[in-house]
Amino acid sequence: MDDQPEAAVPEPLDRRAELSEFLRTRRAKLQPQDVGLPEFGRARRVPGLRREELAQLAGVSVAYYTRLEQGNGRNVSAEVLDAIARALRLTDAEHAHLIHLARPARHKKKRRPAKVQRVRTGLLYLLDSMDGIPAYVAGARSDILAWNPMAAAVFGDWASLPAAERNWARLVFLSPAYRDLFLHWDSKASDMVSYLRLYAGSHPDDPQLSALVGELSLKSEEFRRLWATHNVKEKGHGIKLIRHPLVGDLTLSYETLNLPDDEDQQLVTYHAEPGSESVQALRLLASWGADAGRTDVISGAGRSPDDER
């Protein structure tokens, strides 16, 4: 990357603006027939439900809901938020996001220094003991904190990157190699932004998050478009299709395990269906060891993850 002058500390995300846009975009996704309301003949100037229709469904006055959608969530009750969440057909993740935005946890105004993310020694031992299973620990803002050799073999030589660049969002949107690595890159990109949006709802004052969002917004049109949708999603489980430069296509199931002693850290593991070609491909990568993780096709030649620890 080109050297750039040191930037000023970025401003935190505007929680009121976030609340306003989140409610507006959720309302725009619903049609009267979706919620059992009659559809009148006159044309709608904007897509989705009108404010008065949403207020009716939630059992609140139009003026009250309008103030809330304008970002004024002060003193709103949990019962009202629950009613609005039901009216908007929010998912559990969207419901939690709404609560974070409308009823933020009380905190001191003085900005605290960024928390250093550390991975427990026991987790590092656990990662290394997972023979044949790609696994890594993700932290705040989708930072990649620790990984085992199999994760490096599948996803690339993260150890060759500066620590600040070991971030899933940066890799997905700014590295051409990761567009080739994920067969359904659009889905991966959408999920990535949805995770960041959910994190932003509970950590709007995180200056590193603001800097990351600012950088990606400047450098990626796709990120700007997805960020504007205000979609939120929790990490969970699913299937990723990967086109590996050495062993070809892989179909891998992933599981995301939240760590009980750090709400921002998650253990993510990948596995292939027993007896599948992907299992054989993972075994082949495991037999190559560190050499598989040093391929310059993915992220450039460099050290293996073992050198990092």
Side-chain angles (χ1 to χ4, degrees):
M1 295 179 58
D2 295 333
D3 292 335
Q4 296 180 357
E6 185 176 351
V9 177
E11 291 295 322
L13 298 179
D14 185 339
R15 195 188 294 270
R16 291 187 59 175
E18 294 291 310
L19 173 61
S20 176
E21 285 300 301
F22 178 69
L23 286 172
R24 185 187 62 78
T25 54
R26 297 316 91 180
R27 180 168 58 84
K29 286 189 171 186
L30 290 175
Q31 299 299 324
Q33 59 268 29
D34 296 332
V35 293
L37 290 178
E39 185 173 9
F40 298 103
R42 60 191 179 99
R44 292 173 179 262
R45 292 178 297 175
V46 294
L49 293 179
R50 299 186 178 95
R51 284 176 175 171
E52 56 266 29
E53 292 170 331
L54 197 284
Q56 175 187 342
L57 289 170
V60 298
S61 71
V62 177
Y64 187 94
Y65 176 76
T66 298
R67 288 197 301 272
L68 184 62
E69 193 174 291
Q70 289 173 344
N72 186 6
R74 183 177 301 174
N75 299 324
V76 62
S77 70
E79 290 76 17
V80 167
L81 291 178
D82 290 346
I84 290 174
R86 287 192 297 271
L88 288 171
R89 308 291 179 89
L90 299 186
T91 65
D92 290 344
E94 290 172 329
H95 192 173
H97 187 63
L98 173 62
I99 293 173
H100 283 311
L101 294 176
R103 304 185 71 193
R106 294 185 179 275
H107 60 283
K108 297 180 180 180
K109 291 185 178 181
K110 183 179 179 181
R111 183 177 294 181
R112 297 178 179 179
K115 177 183 176 182
V116 177
Q117 300 186 83
R118 302 187 186 281
V119 179
R120 289 189 292 107
T121 302
L123 276 174
L124 297 177
Y125 291 153
L126 177 61
L127 286 174
D128 285 337
S129 69
M130 291 180 167
D131 292 335
I133 299 176
Y136 60 86
V137 175
R141 303 170 296 276
S142 73
D143 289 343
I144 302 166
L145 305 181
W147 58 94
N148 64 5
M150 278 303 299
V154 172
F155 297 110
D157 185 21
W158 289 330
S160 68
L161 299 175
E165 295 183 16
R166 297 174 198 155
N167 175 277
W168 266 117
R170 294 187 87 263
L171 293 173
V172 167
F173 285 97
L174 303 183
S175 173
Y178 280 81
R179 289 180 180 269
D180 298 330
L181 186 65
F182 291 100
L183 283 175
H184 295 163
W185 181 89
D186 290 345
S187 175
K188 176 66 176 179
S190 177
D191 288 347
M192 195 71 260
V193 174
S194 297
Y195 304 150
L196 278 184
R197 267 289 181 196
L198 189 63
Y199 176 83
S202 54
H203 301 79
D205 298 326
D206 183 345
Q208 291 175 281
L209 171 67
S210 298
L212 177 64
V213 171
E215 178 187 9
L216 294 176
S217 296
L218 285 173
K219 295 180 178 179
S220 171
E221 188 279 331
E222 293 104 328
F223 180 87
R224 290 195 301 274
R225 175 179 55 80
L226 290 169
W227 188 253
T229 66
H230 286 262
N231 292 336
V232 296
K233 181 179 180 180
E234 290 180 333
K235 294 181 182 179
H237 57 86
I239 295 176
K240 292 297 181 187
L241 303 181
I242 293 171
R243 176 152 292 167
H244 195 278
L246 299 181
V247 296
D249 292 355
L250 297 169
T251 300
L252 300 179
S253 298
Y254 68 91
E255 299 285 343
T256 304
L257 308 175
N258 295 315
L259 301 182
D261 55 351
D262 191 326
E263 64 178 9
D264 291 333
Q265 289 191 13
Q266 297 164 319
L267 174 64
V268 185
T269 64
Y270 287 77
H271 66 277
E273 183 179 348
S276 66
E277 293 182 0
S278 294
V279 166
Q280 299 301 321
L282 288 180
R283 288 173 181 168
L284 185 58
L285 287 175
S287 70
W288 287 338
D291 289 337
R294 284 200 291 264
T295 173
D296 58 1
V297 179
I298 299 180
S299 59
R303 298 168 292 127
S304 79
D306 291 335
D307 298 329
E308 183 73 10
R309 302 191 202 116

